Amino acid sequence: MPPSRLDGLYRSLLLTKFFCKGWGKPENIERLFEFRKIISNRAACSQLIPRDYPVEITREEVQSDCKIIEGKFITPLEIYMPGLVPDVAQQAHFQVVLPLKWNDERYKPICIHLAGTGDHYFWKRRNMIAKPLLKEANLGAIILENPFYGLRKPKEQRASSLQNVSDIFVMGGCLVLESLVLLNWCERNGLGPLGITGLSMGGHMASLAATNWPKPLVLVPCLSWSTASSVFTEGVMSHSINWDVLETQYFADGNFRERLSKMVTVVDDAFVAGKQFIQNFNQSVEELRQDIDEAKDLVCGAATVDVNLSVIREATPEVTDEEQKSRQQQEESKQLKSRIHINRTNALNLSEPLLEKLLSNVRCELTQEEIDELNMKIHLALKRHNEEHQSEAGQPGEKLILEVKSESAKPTEAEGGGAVELAPAPAISVGSKILQYISWRSASSTSEGEKRVPIDTTKQRWWEREALQFMRGMMDECTHLKNFSVPYDTSLIIAVCAKDDAYIPREGCTSLEDIWPGAEIRYLDAGHVSAYVLHQKLFRSCIIEAFERAKKKWVPVSDGLRQEVNGMATTTPDQQPSK
């Protein structure tokens, strides 16, 4: 279904911009990448937080309908990664909402509620979801203040607009470890079964935190998905990012391109830089793989000296045959000026392994990552060419078309005249043939029967920049659930998603069902904003239902048959009841 227009309209009304100060310090990002490898492993991460981690209770209040407890503690991320968390965010503040009396002393359910984007302080979650759950199901709540929000917001930060991309990874690292602190605190105080939930960004943070709890845990992520990368590169939120600052910093500081970009991996193939470029190809990427596997003529002949990418003009349909012929003759003389060579000088800045493959004279196959890289770099080259020749290419009815050629000798001037000719090329190499598989030919040079799909490079689109590919890699590296452990008991997971969500695009991203076998995913016929406004009751009902599952499966039923609340017995994942 199409993305919700309401989502786009709502986001356009918000004037705030994200990441106005850039990516953050390269050395801090590198530290976060390394620490991600620890907190994405449940066995390692759960050992970081002692069961008796110090928590200070600062206030207790009994109201007419509930008991309110407030507390704070030092965020563990500051202990393990000193200097990354701003001073004001180092104290984690939380509020607990408990019933005046539990209906069953063996069943004291409590759920941690993490904040979505813009959800500062406690009042919104307390009144919209915590107290209604208390009234409907006698279910307690812990409301944790996000780093960079509310009491933990740096003075120089405007509203919810994080200043650096690295801030969101600091926020995530804090929330994962702080959730473990609170879950341990609940166990020490005899509360359980335990759960965690959140809306939008809070839902994804809840998912990350749940992967690291080594016992059964209710998880209800609402309006989130398997990765945050599509949010910041494809969804409506991406239009609120200061891409000019990010791109400038990315190319100005060699640390990003030369070191950090090699530390990240795009998990899903569908949303890579140059997505629009690939979508217009006459075959899918999978079909391309099959073509390369099956094409016997990829056994190379003699290696060519060079592989050239020539940019030529496509004649408009309105011109006559004579005019078209005249124009083509003029263009042939101009092609020498617009060639982009893929050779040992590496003008396209290709990675060394890919360059070696393209210039080799042995049978080879491009990996998906190499196909993506080549498409992206060719597209960037065409974009640069377009910018350099904007005055020439801006004529109405003209497009720049990419054509792949190979040659073994430089052009020489024919005797007795000014015509320029190319020396005959020998059998082309495997690199040339692979390039032909993933490139487009102009109408004048395409053989009859071939499908011709011209590439319009006159549009300058921000998502075609290399910085966006780095953003996607960073987000996948630190937030993709494939990079984290699978929750202890996936039967306690109920995820709620909006079919028309323009904030959280799902197309091309690995589904939650594939990452978490046994989890249940429910879909709403709504967009992100309308689901948040109209379906709070449904979110609550899913939380209640998930806790009922936990009660049946894990709450002690008698002295003789006991399945410990919170998995406090010595049950291991292999000893879990069958799902």
Side-chain angles (χ1 to χ4, degrees):
M1 298 184 70
S4 169
R5 292 184 178 181
L6 176 60
D7 290 352
L9 175 62
Y10 178 79
R11 183 62 248 181
S12 67
L13 296 176
L14 302 178
L15 302 179
T16 53
K17 285 280 187 181
F18 286 80
F19 313 139
C20 291
K21 288 190 176 180
W23 303 99
K25 296 180 179 179
E27 58 270 25
N28 288 347
I29 296 175
E30 186 170 0
R31 292 172 66 196
L32 287 165
F33 287 168
E34 292 298 331
F35 192 65
R36 195 280 302 168
K37 298 175 183 178
I38 298 175
I39 65 171
S40 62
N41 182 286
R42 179 164 57 236
C45 184
S46 60
Q47 296 300 315
L48 298 178
I49 309 300
R51 282 181 52 83
D52 58 350
Y53 192 93
V55 175
E56 178 185 356
I57 300 302
T58 59
R59 186 174 76 93
E60 294 189 35
E61 178 186 352
V62 177
Q63 299 182 354
S64 59
D65 57 346
C66 65
K67 180 179 181 180
I68 303 291
I69 299 173
E70 291 187 0
K72 63 180 181 179
F73 55 90
I74 298 294
T75 180
L77 188 65
E78 174 60 21
I79 298 173
Y80 292 107
M81 304 287 286
L84 288 185
V85 186
D87 293 343
V88 69
Q90 291 176 13
Q91 285 279 359
H93 300 269
F94 67 95
Q95 188 176 92
V96 186
V97 182
L98 298 175
L100 296 177
K101 183 180 179 181
W102 295 104
N103 294 335
D104 185 342
E105 287 300 316
R106 298 175 302 174
Y107 181 63
K108 300 178 179 179
I110 189 164
C111 187
I112 298 175
H113 298 264
L114 300 184
T117 303
D119 189 352
H120 296 250
Y121 304 104
F122 307 124
W123 63 271
K124 185 183 293 185
R125 281 170 286 167
R126 182 178 65 243
N127 294 310
M128 291 187 66
I129 192 165
K131 283 194 172 183
L133 282 172
L134 189 69
K135 182 178 180 180
E136 295 167 9
N138 205 230
L139 199 155
I142 297 180
I143 307 167
L144 177 61
E145 181 82 282
N146 268 18
F148 301 95
Y149 279 16
L151 299 171
R152 308 176 71 179
K153 185 176 78 69
K155 292 182 179 179
E156 62 274 16
Q157 176 183 305
R158 182 184 177 189
S160 308
S161 301
L162 302 183
Q163 299 177 87
N164 300 292
V165 177
S166 60
D167 290 346
I168 200 163
F169 304 136
V170 172
M171 177 189 288
C174 285
L175 290 175
V176 167
L177 298 180
E178 290 165 14
S179 296
L180 296 182
V181 171
L182 292 172
L183 291 170
N184 278 317
W185 181 84
C186 289
E187 280 195 343
R188 296 201 307 269
N189 286 275
L191 301 172
L194 307 178
I196 190 166
T197 186
L199 294 174
S200 190
M201 180 183 72
H204 194 77
M205 295 296 184
S207 297
L208 296 176
T211 64
N212 289 297
W213 184 243
K215 303 170 187 178
L217 185 71
V218 167
L219 171 60
V220 185
C222 302
L223 308 182
S224 65
W225 199 234
S226 57
T227 178
S229 60
S230 59
V231 176
F232 293 100
T233 61
E234 194 72 17
V236 296
M237 184 72 78
S238 63
H239 299 288
S240 300
I241 294 175
N242 196 325
W243 288 103
D244 290 336
V245 170
L246 294 179
E247 186 181 38
T248 299
Q249 186 180 359
Y250 180 81
F251 286 102
D253 191 335
N255 286 310
F256 292 99
R257 301 187 72 190
E258 297 166 11
R259 189 170 79 255
L260 295 178
S261 64
K262 295 177 175 61
M263 298 180 66
V264 300
T265 302
V266 175
V267 176
D268 297 311
D269 293 331
F271 287 96
V272 295
K275 174 195 168 196
Q276 300 296 326
F277 182 66
I278 298 172
Q279 275 188 335
N280 289 330
F281 191 36
N282 61 346
Q283 296 173 325
S284 67
V285 175
E286 186 58 35
E287 289 170 338
L288 175 59
R289 284 202 190 105
Q290 295 173 3
D291 286 343
I292 294 176
D293 289 339
E294 296 171 1
K296 296 180 180 179
D297 63 337
L298 285 183
V299 179
C300 66
T304 58
V305 174
D306 212 346
V307 178
N308 299 318
L309 299 180
S310 300
V311 180
I312 66 175
R313 292 184 188 277
E314 177 187 37
T316 58
E318 293 78 8
V319 299
T320 64
D321 293 340
E322 292 182 0
E323 291 173 336
Q324 180 173 337
K325 185 176 180 181
S326 175
R327 176 173 293 177
Q328 289 175 352
Q329 291 175 348
Q330 294 174 5
E331 291 301 332
E332 287 175 0
S333 64
K334 293 179 181 179
Q335 285 185 28
L336 295 177
K337 299 180 181 179
S338 59
R339 280 203 181 88
I340 306 167
H341 295 281
I342 303 179
N343 54 24
R344 293 296 172 183
T345 61
N346 200 5
L348 288 185
N349 195 28
L350 299 173
S351 63
E352 188 63 28
L354 176 56
L355 186 64
E356 289 294 333
K357 280 189 178 182
L358 293 177
L359 296 176
S360 68
N361 62 343
V362 296
R363 177 186 289 270
C364 63
E365 178 179 331
L366 294 186
T367 66
Q368 179 61 47
E369 290 75 15
E370 289 169 335
I371 291 173
D372 294 340
E373 177 188 354
L374 186 57
N375 275 297
M376 180 183 69
K377 294 300 177 61
I378 291 173
H379 201 56
L380 289 172
L382 288 173
K383 180 183 175 183
R384 288 195 296 270
H385 178 275
N386 178 62
E387 292 172 347
E388 293 170 0
H389 301 82
Q390 190 169 7
S391 59
E392 298 178 8
Q395 302 175 20
E398 292 187 344
K399 296 180 180 179
L400 291 177
I401 306 300
L402 176 65
E403 180 185 29
V404 177
K405 291 186 177 181
S406 62
E407 63 182 15
S408 60
K410 296 183 178 179
T412 58
E413 188 170 336
E415 295 182 3
V420 177
E421 299 179 353
L422 295 178
I428 60 177
S429 69
V430 61
S432 305
K433 293 180 179 179
I434 291 176
L435 279 175
Q436 289 176 349
Y437 267 85
I438 58 176
S439 61
W440 284 256
R441 304 283 299 279
S442 68
S444 61
S445 61
T446 305
S447 60
E448 186 176 356
E450 274 188 283
K451 187 174 181 179
R452 296 186 290 270
V453 186
I455 307 165
D456 183 359
T457 61
T458 60
K459 296 180 181 179
Q460 297 185 21
R461 297 171 288 199
W462 57 262
W463 56 81
E464 295 168 354
R465 300 172 185 169
E466 190 174 340
L468 179 130
Q469 176 74 346
F470 181 56
M471 171 72 84
R472 180 157 181 80
M474 285 182 68
M475 290 294 169
D476 269 358
E477 182 70 25
C478 295
T479 72
H480 204 297
L481 296 176
K482 266 191 172 181
N483 288 335
F484 290 75
S485 302
V486 176
Y488 186 94
D489 186 352
T490 56
S491 69
L492 303 183
I493 300 174
I494 302 178
V496 184
C497 303
K499 289 183 179 179
D500 308 332
D501 201 323
Y503 275 82
I504 319 287
R506 297 186 305 277
E507 182 184 355
C509 298
T510 308
S511 68
L512 291 177
E513 294 98 327
D514 292 337
I515 300 174
W516 294 338
E520 181 179 353
I521 318 298
R522 299 178 181 178
Y523 296 90
L524 292 168
D525 286 320
H528 194 86
V529 174
S530 58
Y532 178 84
V533 174
L534 301 176
H535 295 284
Q536 292 286 333
K537 185 175 181 180
L538 175 64
F539 301 149
R540 297 197 302 269
S541 68
C542 290
I543 295 171
I544 294 171
E545 181 179 343
F547 270 93
E548 286 296 325
R549 293 181 185 178
K551 180 179 181 180
K552 293 178 181 178
K553 193 169 185 179
W554 295 102
V555 172
V557 294
S558 69
D559 292 336
L561 177 62
R562 184 176 181 81
Q563 290 176 312
E564 286 282 358
V565 182
N566 312 323
M568 292 173 65
T570 57
T571 306
T572 65
D574 295 334
Q575 297 170 323
Q576 293 183 64
S578 60
K579 299 176 184 177

